[in-house]
Amino acid sequence: MPDASRSTRRGPFRFAANRGGRPHLAEDVLSVGTLVCGLVAFATGFMPGMHAFASWAGTVGFVGGLYSQYVSATTRERSLNIVGIVASFVGVAFGIHHGGFLP
């Protein structure tokens, strides 16, 4: 077992959701975009005056997250997608509860 005695060294921190040896730039962008839309929708969903923004951000995050989940290639991308989809759903639900899609 010569590999067991080797120390594992890691380089500088990089965000990379791909472990298959090939870059997945489009999938990474979709996953992070889903997460950002979801977090924005979730945060603004608690503010009644921001109901239109929360509703639209949540809808974009939810639909984009479903597509991103469909084309995702790694488990890390899928994990980000699920967190973003759930946050988008909760944000759009609060946005609709506070007044809906129109101001």
Side-chain angles (χ1 to χ4, degrees):
M1 293 181 48
D3 294 336
S5 63
R6 275 193 228 161
S7 65
T8 57
R9 298 178 116 191
R10 294 184 181 244
F13 178 76
R14 289 184 333 174
F15 175 75
N18 56 342
R19 292 290 178 206
R22 293 182 340 200
H24 303 130
L25 183 63
E27 290 87 350
D28 290 344
V29 169
L30 284 171
S31 295
V32 172
T34 298
L35 183 65
V36 168
C37 283
L39 293 176
V40 166
F42 185 79
T44 57
F46 289 106
M47 302 174 211
M50 300 286 288
H51 63 86
F53 188 72
S55 298
W56 285 109
T59 301
V60 168
F62 189 78
V63 172
L66 291 178
Y67 177 73
S68 180
Q69 185 73 358
Y70 178 70
V71 299
S72 65
T74 64
T75 303
R76 291 181 182 182
E77 292 166 359
R78 292 180 189 115
S79 299
L80 290 177
N81 288 335
I82 293 300
V83 172
I85 289 170
V86 170
S88 294
F89 180 78
V90 172
V92 77
F94 278 129
I96 290 171
H97 172 72
H98 289 302
F101 290 93
L102 300 175

